[in-house]
Amino acid sequence: MKETTQILREKGLKVTPQRIAVYNMLRSTTQHPNAETIYKTLEPANPTMSLATVYKTLDYFKQLGLVQELNVGEPSSRYDAVMKCHPHTVCTVCGCVRDLDMEELTELHKKLAQQLDFEVECEQLILYGKCAGCRGN
Amino acid sequence: MKETTQILREKGLKVTPQRIAVYNMLRSTTQHPNAETIYKTLEPANPTMSLATVYKTLDYFKQLGLVQELNVGEPSSRYDAVMKCHPHTVCTVCGCVRDLDMEELTELHKKLAQQLDFEVECEQLILYGKCAGCRGN
DNA sequence: TTCAATGCAAAAGTTTTGCACCTCT
DNA sequence: AGAGGTGCAAAACTTTTGCATTGAA
């Protein structure tokens, strides 16, 4: 996996501990955390970090194509370092968000969209329901 | 089309001019307005209406299954009186939100989700891109 | 050294809440 | 008459912004 430092530099960003921390966290989790969660997770190890910087950092990352923002209907946005448009599941009980990875969808949707006179740039499918864990209880 | 008054009554809601106005508006538009837009649209004809009431009304409607909330990544939520889970297109230029209606998707997604140990209750597909109008310019 | 990033605090925007008054039933 | 709804204002919450200080190059 490419060094975080190198990736930031390639995007023309100054490399700061805060930016490294945010990007590393997003790369190493599949949980799609929101800004608040990112802040609370990183704060113990980076005591000077501020929430405003997390927001500013996420905004830069988003504009430079390092992360994507994901809104599943909660009040706050989640963030994902996987840049490819892809479907998600959202558990209606615990709220967990998971990735799906299915090529089939993409092809089908593009074909369908062609019939609609709408030029698809990105697609997001969200399946709301109960995850395996919450169904068991 | 069923009377708005009757529908509200069946849900156990008191029938007020504000509730009638909000529900009628949502039923008669395909634009998926947000609370602010609903308020501004209705305010001229209902001068005493307040934004807080629009929010409270939408919240009741949502919980009683009269409308669904739709979040396409904007800061504010949009609302739709079509209750069936269905896909949308979002124009990245003008921001317009349109419904798609394609049965195919539902079937495919349910089949795919079965493989995932995830019980699908509702699905939302959002295609981001350029609408016909914005592509022309 | 210089320019950009950070952190703080204040502000902005959306949504919720408390409460006195009003209105539907 | 009574339960519940409305409107107003204040509050809550997420996100953005301004600015003085700090830090990367």
Side-chain angles (χ1 to χ4, degrees):
Chain A
M1 202 187 220
K2 217 187 242 185
E3 277 284 348
T4 295
T5 299
Q6 190 187 340
I7 293 172
L8 299 181
R9 250 192 265 280
E10 281 170 6
K11 291 290 184 181
L13 287 171
K14 255 186 201 174
V15 179
T16 67
Q18 293 87 341
R19 287 174 179 176
I20 293 173
V22 171
Y23 192 56
N24 277 346
M25 176 181 171
L26 281 172
R27 286 218 287 175
S28 63
T29 181
T30 58
Q31 307 220 9
H32 310 83
N34 60 22
E36 181 78 24
T37 303
I38 294 171
Y39 171 65
K40 285 200 177 135
T41 305
L42 298 180
E43 202 270 335
N46 308 61
T48 83
M49 171 160 310
S50 78
L51 182 56
T53 296
V54 173
Y55 275 109
K56 285 170 188 165
T57 299
L58 290 170
D59 200 47
Y60 279 121
F61 286 1
K62 191 171 55 171
Q63 300 200 37
L64 293 171
L66 286 176
V67 304
Q68 63 173 311
E69 196 176 351
L70 175 66
N71 201 311
V72 300
E74 298 163 328
S76 62
S77 296
R78 290 168 175 264
Y79 294 86
D80 191 343
V82 175
M83 286 306 294
K84 200 172 161 215
C85 289
H86 59 280
H88 298 92
T89 56
V90 179
C91 178
T92 52
V93 180
C94 70
C96 72
V97 177
R98 300 235 172 83
D99 292 329
L100 303 187
D101 188 12
M102 13 198 70
E103 290 303 327
E104 267 186 86
L105 287 178
T106 304
E107 288 315 310
L108 176 62
H109 298 165
K110 291 221 168 104
K111 196 176 65 189
L112 289 168
Q114 274 178 3
Q115 308 165 4
L116 291 160
D117 202 14
F118 186 89
E119 182 185 306
V120 178
E121 292 166 0
C122 177
E123 61 187 286
Q124 177 184 285
L125 171 68
I126 303 181
L127 301 175
Y128 295 93
K130 290 196 183 59
C131 71
C134 288
R135 199 137 39 82
N137 303 344
Chain B
M1 201 190 232
K2 217 186 244 186
E3 278 284 347
T4 294
T5 299
Q6 190 188 341
I7 294 173
L8 298 182
R9 249 192 266 278
E10 282 170 6
K11 291 290 184 181
L13 287 172
K14 255 187 202 176
V15 178
T16 67
Q18 294 87 339
R19 289 175 177 175
I20 293 173
V22 171
Y23 192 57
N24 277 345
M25 177 182 171
L26 281 172
R27 286 219 286 177
S28 62
T29 182
T30 58
Q31 306 221 10
H32 309 83
N34 59 22
E36 180 79 27
T37 303
I38 294 170
Y39 172 66
K40 285 199 177 136
T41 305
L42 298 180
E43 201 270 334
N46 309 60
T48 84
M49 171 160 309
S50 79
L51 182 55
T53 296
V54 173
Y55 276 109
K56 285 171 188 166
T57 298
L58 289 170
D59 200 46
Y60 278 121
F61 285 2
K62 191 171 55 170
Q63 299 199 39
L64 293 170
L66 287 175
V67 304
Q68 63 173 309
E69 195 174 354
L70 175 65
N71 201 310
V72 300
E74 298 163 328
S76 62
S77 295
R78 290 167 175 265
Y79 294 86
D80 191 343
V82 175
M83 285 307 294
K84 200 172 159 214
C85 289
H86 58 280
H88 297 92
T89 56
V90 179
C91 178
T92 52
V93 180
C94 70
C96 71
V97 178
R98 299 234 173 83
D99 292 327
L100 302 186
D101 188 12
M102 14 199 71
E103 290 302 328
E104 268 187 86
L105 287 179
T106 303
E107 288 315 310
L108 176 62
H109 298 165
K110 292 223 169 105
K111 196 176 64 189
L112 289 168
Q114 274 177 1
Q115 306 165 6
L116 291 159
D117 202 15
F118 186 89
E119 181 185 306
V120 178
E121 293 166 359
C122 178
E123 60 187 288
Q124 177 184 285
L125 171 68
I126 302 181
L127 302 175
Y128 294 93
K130 291 196 182 57
C131 71
C134 288
R135 199 137 39 83
N137 303 342

